[in-house]
């Protein structure tokens, strides 16, 4: 039953029909896997932890260790993997805080290249020689975005691969043909390019506090909320530092798309009430501080080049109070909202972008002396989409420029900065505090953001027409998880039958149907909810009276139209209409 559930939930992701493990060998030393779980109900539809450990023990004995990147929690305690686990968590669908990269790379390198020590040498090992057969296991939730970013970073920084070679290898080993790239989120790809520059220039990184001076937007549409975010708590949490209000916006030129005039549409633009309250710039303003550039020309040029809808305003957002981020990692987040009725609004666009001011300020190329200030520019089409996908909704703007500078709390007394170098071979490597493995960790103010209806709140009146309510399940299947596949060290499909391996002592109880339904995100609307009983029609009574039965006694043949397990050739032949309908929903 649990195996059937895993196949149904996996949907378009390829799984080996015998081993049933969702993992791949990126190289013979790096394994990428989706996040396993050791507890029910998650293990009923995720990689079972005991089976993963059994596979690794069989293939690699005690020569494997895990590097995990899940700020939402691993789903299992460290003891379940012999304590051979290193924690560097950060939120899903985002790049890592760059200060983690040197530690992750050094830790993986030290593990793979560790020499045999006194007292550890066996018959085939000599003291001072590198251990043979060691592997690193990286995992996040789907074993794709975060895991792929770090796997590619290791190939670039420690193995001498180019970014294109590393990304192509990960895609080849992790993805099914036709399902796109393994690492596909634009900001994560930007981080891979940062790693390449970091590697080429001595592997030095300088962390600084960054102040956001202005945000310039060309072709801004009606009803757009703009906010600034950054990492806190060692990278486990994304914090909202500032939301721009109507008092912090200066309209330079232009009307909203399809509008007859600015007075007709300005009230719909993120909370503005009328044009008379909006400060107008006396002259057009340049991003680089030059004089009299034509922002209207820049806006129209961007529209023509991207083929977007005509119109939009040129706007400068300037915070009324200082916006200082604790690290060089900066996230600019956008939402577009249209007013509906009855206290509801429609979210029609969601997008964000991460950049690192040390790299945008040419720090690696200048021996660690990054520029004191700079401008990061990007077009709408290159922004990150919803939940790691390319989907962003309708266009919210044409082009964005963020003006930043290194924050100096006491000018003339030296700026706060932290020089971070990759630890040397064999040197101790710091790791981060793990997130609560049981889950329930709040990692981002935008967790679960999606398009659709939301409620209005008075607190959002100065920003836009909607609140920032979350609208998705925390454990949902995102578009970014589609198409992953398992593969072996040479790229071949895994053919190990887990049931044929030595069986470990079971330390978990058999689930009941209530437990499974409580956490199963593919349950239909007719599935009983948490703490409810499972009605089951007892076939032994002619009157059709109902009884109660647990999953341990339930078989597919017991359900209406169901086929007995021993007669099923594949998981698709169970004959259960509601499960077939649910499978079609996942595939879509």
């Amino acid at each position: 039953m649990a195996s059937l559930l895993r196949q149904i939930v996996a949907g378009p992701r390829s799984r080996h029909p015998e081993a049933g493990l969702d993992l791949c060998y990126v190289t013979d030393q790096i394994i990428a896997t989706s996040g396993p779980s050791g507890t029910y109900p998650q293990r009923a539809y995720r990689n079972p932890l005991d089976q993963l450990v059994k596979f690794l023990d069989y293939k690699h004995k005690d020569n494997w260790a895990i590097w995990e990147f899940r700020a939402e929690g691993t789903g299992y305690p460290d003891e379940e993997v012999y304590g051979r686990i290193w924690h560097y968590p950060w939120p899903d669908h985002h790049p890592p805080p760059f200060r983690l990269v040197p530690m992750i790379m050094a830790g993986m390198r030290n593990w793979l290249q560790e020499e045999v020590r006194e007292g550890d040498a066996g018959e085939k090992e000599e003291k001072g020689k590198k251990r043979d057969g060691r592997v690193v296991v990286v995992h996040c939730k789907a074993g794709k975005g975060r895991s792929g970013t770090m796997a590619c970073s290791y190939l670039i920084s420690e193995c001498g691969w180019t970014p294109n070679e590393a990304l192509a290898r990960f895609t080849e080993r992790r993805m099914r043909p036709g399902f796109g790239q393994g690492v596909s989120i634009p900001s994560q790809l930007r981080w891979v390019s940062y790693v390449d520059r970091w590697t080429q220039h001595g592997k030095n990184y300088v962390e600084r506090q960054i102040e956001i001076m202005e945000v310039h937007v060309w072709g801004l549409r009606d009803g757009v909320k703009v906010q600034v975010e950054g990492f806190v708590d060692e990278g486990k949490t994304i914090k909202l530092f500032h939301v721009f209000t109507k008092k912090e916006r200066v309209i330079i030129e232009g009307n909203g798309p399809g509008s007859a005039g600015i007075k007709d549409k300005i009230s719909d633009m993120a909370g503005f009430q009328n044009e008379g309250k909006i400060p107008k710039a006396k002259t057009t303003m340049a991003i680089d501080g030059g004089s009299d550039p034509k922002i209207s020309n820049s806006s129209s040029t961007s529209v023509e080049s991207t083929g977007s809808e005509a119109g939009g305003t040129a706007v400068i957002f300037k915070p009324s109070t200082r916006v200082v981020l604790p690290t060089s990692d900066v996230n600019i987040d956008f939402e577009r909202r249209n007013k509906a009725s009855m206290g509801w609004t429609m979210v029609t666009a969601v997008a964000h972008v991460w950049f690192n001011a040390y790299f945008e300020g040419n720090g690696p190329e200048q021996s660690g002396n990054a520029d004191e200030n700079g401008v990061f520019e990007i077009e709408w089409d290159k922004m990150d989409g919803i939940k790691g996908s390319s989907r962003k909704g309708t266009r919210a703007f044409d082009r964005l420029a963020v003006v930043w500078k290194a924050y100096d709390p006491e000018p003339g007394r030296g700026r706060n900065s932290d020089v971070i170098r990759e630890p040397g071979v064999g040197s101790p490597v710091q790791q981060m505090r793990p997130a609560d493995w049981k889950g329930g960790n709040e990692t981002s103010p935008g967790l679960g953001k999606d398009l659709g209806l939301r409620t209005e709140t008075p607190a959002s009146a100065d920003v836009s027409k909607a609140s920032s309510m979350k609208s998705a399940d925390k454990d949902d299947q995102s578009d970014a998880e589609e198409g992953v596949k398992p593969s072996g060290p040479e790229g071949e499909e895994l053919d190990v039958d887990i049931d044929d391996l030595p069986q470990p002592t079971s330390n978990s109880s058999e689930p009941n149907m209530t437990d499974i339904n409580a956490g199963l995100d593919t349950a239909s609307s007719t599935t009983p909810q948490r703490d409810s009983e499972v009605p089951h029609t007892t076939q032994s009574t002619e009157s059709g009276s109902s009884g109660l039965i647990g999953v341990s006694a339930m078989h597919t043949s017991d359900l209406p139209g169901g086929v007995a397990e021993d007669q099923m050739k594949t998981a698709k032949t169970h004959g259960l209409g509601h499960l077939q309908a649910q499978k079609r929903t996942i595939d879509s």
Side-chain angles (χ1 to χ4, degrees):
M1 185 68 176
S3 177
L4 176 62
L5 289 172
R6 284 196 294 274
Q7 294 183 53
I8 294 171
V9 173
R13 291 189 286 167
S14 176
R15 305 183 67 91
H16 192 277
E18 294 178 343
L21 291 176
D22 177 21
L23 63 82
C24 78
Y25 283 76
V26 183
T27 68
D28 57 359
Q29 290 186 314
I30 302 176
I31 299 173
T33 179
S34 57
S37 181
T39 60
Y40 286 104
Q42 286 80 14
R43 66 168 286 133
Y45 54 91
R46 299 286 184 194
N47 261 354
L49 180 64
D50 56 352
Q51 292 189 20
L52 176 64
V53 170
K54 189 191 335 179
F55 173 83
L56 294 172
D57 284 344
Y58 175 75
K59 296 284 288 186
H60 303 285
K61 299 182 172 57
D62 60 352
N63 289 318
W64 60 270
I66 290 175
W67 269 253
E68 69 87 11
F69 313 122
R70 300 192 66 180
E72 62 272 27
T74 61
Y76 57 88
D78 292 0
E79 298 77 28
E80 295 293 320
V81 293
Y82 315 118
R84 292 201 300 266
I85 182 169
W86 292 76
H87 300 281
Y88 298 97
W90 76 86
D92 199 6
H93 310 312
H94 298 279
F98 199 88
R99 68 178 299 130
L100 298 184
V101 173
M103 292 181 277
I104 297 172
M105 298 299 100
M108 293 169 62
R109 178 206 61 210
N110 285 355
W111 171 260
L112 293 174
Q113 299 181 7
E114 184 180 19
E115 296 180 348
V116 178
R117 295 171 296 181
E118 184 72 37
D120 292 341
E123 295 180 359
K124 297 182 180 180
E125 295 180 316
E126 297 180 11
K127 178 184 175 183
K129 288 189 176 182
K130 293 181 181 178
R131 297 179 182 272
D132 294 329
R134 283 206 158 177
V135 296
V136 161
V137 182
V138 294
H139 86 71
C140 48
K141 179 180 177 181
K144 181 178 176 291
R146 289 173 286 183
S147 297
T149 300
M150 289 298 96
C152 292
S153 295
Y154 186 84
L155 295 178
I156 294 167
S157 66
E158 307 301 327
C159 302
W161 294 38
T162 67
N164 287 339
E165 290 171 343
L167 291 166
R169 166 57 71 89
F170 186 78
T171 297
E172 172 196 351
R173 293 296 176 88
R174 189 67 179 129
M175 302 302 295
R176 295 167 56 191
F179 279 88
Q181 296 175 260
V183 181
S184 58
I185 298 174
S187 289
Q188 291 180 341
L189 290 170
R190 186 175 301 110
W191 252 243
V192 171
S193 71
Y194 288 165
V195 170
D196 183 45
R197 293 168 57 194
W198 172 74
T199 302
Q200 292 181 20
H201 296 89
K203 297 185 178 179
N204 294 321
Y205 173 65
V206 180
E207 188 82 280
R208 303 178 296 177
Q209 292 178 297
I210 298 299
E211 181 175 1
I212 303 302
M213 306 302 293
E214 295 177 353
V215 175
H216 297 220
V217 186
W218 288 265
L220 186 69
R221 277 33 176 199
D222 294 342
V224 177
K225 181 186 75 170
V226 184
Q227 59 191 37
V228 181
E229 300 172 348
F231 287 117
V232 295
D233 191 21
E234 299 181 332
K236 286 188 284 294
T237 305
I238 298 172
K239 179 181 177 180
L240 172 61
F241 283 89
H242 189 76
V243 180
F244 288 101
T245 67
K246 59 186 179 182
K247 297 179 181 179
E248 299 171 312
R249 311 181 188 198
V250 179
I251 305 295
I252 304 301
E253 279 188 22
N255 299 335
S259 65
I262 200 165
K263 289 184 177 179
D264 296 334
K265 284 292 183 180
I266 205 67
S267 62
D268 289 332
M269 181 180 170
F272 284 102
Q273 300 303 314
N274 57 67
E275 184 183 14
K277 296 181 181 179
I278 303 169
K280 287 273 193 169
K282 294 182 180 180
T283 60
T284 53
M285 302 172 65
I287 291 176
D288 58 3
S291 60
D292 199 32
K294 301 299 182 183
I295 292 185
S296 59
N297 293 339
S298 298
S299 178
S300 61
T301 300
S302 176
V303 171
E304 291 172 2
S305 63
T306 60
S308 63
E309 59 177 312
T313 54
V315 177
I316 292 177
F317 298 85
K318 190 167 184 176
S320 56
T321 59
R322 304 191 86 168
V323 180
V324 179
L325 279 67
T327 72
S328 297
D329 307 299
V330 181
N331 186 43
I332 308 296
D333 186 88
F334 288 82
E335 264 191 11
R336 185 181 183 186
R337 305 162 177 188
N338 295 329
K339 182 160 180 74
S341 60
M342 303 295 292
W344 292 89
T345 58
M346 177 68 71
V347 177
T348 59
V350 174
H352 70 272
V353 61
W354 283 93
F355 68 91
N356 184 285
Y358 174 75
F359 291 93
E360 298 302 326
N362 301 307
E365 293 77 10
Q366 297 173 175
S367 301
N369 299 312
D371 296 339
E372 295 298 308
N373 52 68
V375 178
F376 172 80
E377 299 184 65
I378 191 172
E379 296 180 352
W380 169 258
D381 294 332
K382 297 179 181 179
M383 299 280 286
D384 295 5
I386 300 168
K387 302 177 188 175
S389 72
S390 60
R391 186 169 56 98
K392 296 186 283 287
T394 61
R395 180 175 290 268
F397 62 87
D398 294 328
R399 185 158 59 93
L400 163 72
V402 183
V403 183
W404 59 267
K405 77 170 186 178
Y407 177 61
D408 192 353
E410 298 180 351
R413 296 191 177 184
R415 181 174 291 106
N416 293 330
S417 62
D418 188 6
V419 179
I420 301 171
R421 297 182 175 88
E422 182 183 40
V425 176
S427 300
V429 178
Q430 179 187 5
Q431 66 170 308
M432 302 296 101
R433 290 182 295 103
D436 185 351
W437 69 268
K438 297 178 182 178
N441 305 297
E442 293 294 333
T443 61
S444 170
L447 182 67
K449 274 187 179 181
D450 207 339
L451 308 178
L453 287 172
R454 299 191 192 174
T455 58
E456 286 186 284
T457 64
S460 64
D462 285 342
V463 180
S464 68
K465 299 294 184 182
S467 69
S468 296
M469 287 185 62
K470 299 167 188 173
S471 58
D473 187 89
K474 294 180 181 179
D475 197 35
D476 61 358
Q477 297 284 334
S478 71
D479 297 338
E481 297 182 27
E482 293 188 356
V484 297
K485 69 174 185 180
S487 60
E490 303 300 326
E492 77 284 0
E493 282 195 356
L494 297 177
D495 58 358
V496 176
D497 188 346
I498 294 295
D499 293 332
D500 291 340
L501 302 182
Q503 297 291 330
T505 302
S506 176
N507 58 0
S508 58
S509 59
E510 186 74 13
N512 56 45
M513 186 61 76
T514 301
D515 291 336
I516 291 179
N517 288 335
L520 186 58
D521 53 6
T522 58
S524 67
S525 58
T526 59
T527 304
Q529 301 301 312
R530 185 183 298 273
D531 298 328
S532 64
E533 298 292 349
V534 181
H536 175 74
T537 302
T538 305
Q539 298 180 0
S540 59
T541 58
E542 296 180 357
S543 61
S545 59
S546 298
L548 296 177
I549 187 167
V551 71
S552 58
M554 179 176 286
H555 304 280
T556 52
S557 58
D558 295 332
L559 301 174
V563 178
E565 289 90 334
D566 57 0
Q567 299 177 15
M568 293 169 55
K569 295 182 179 180
T570 68
K572 298 181 180 179
T573 58
H574 46 66
L576 305 179
H578 64 290
L579 291 182
Q580 292 169 347
Q582 187 61 47
K583 182 65 168 62
R584 287 195 295 271
T585 301
I586 295 172
D587 285 339
S588 65

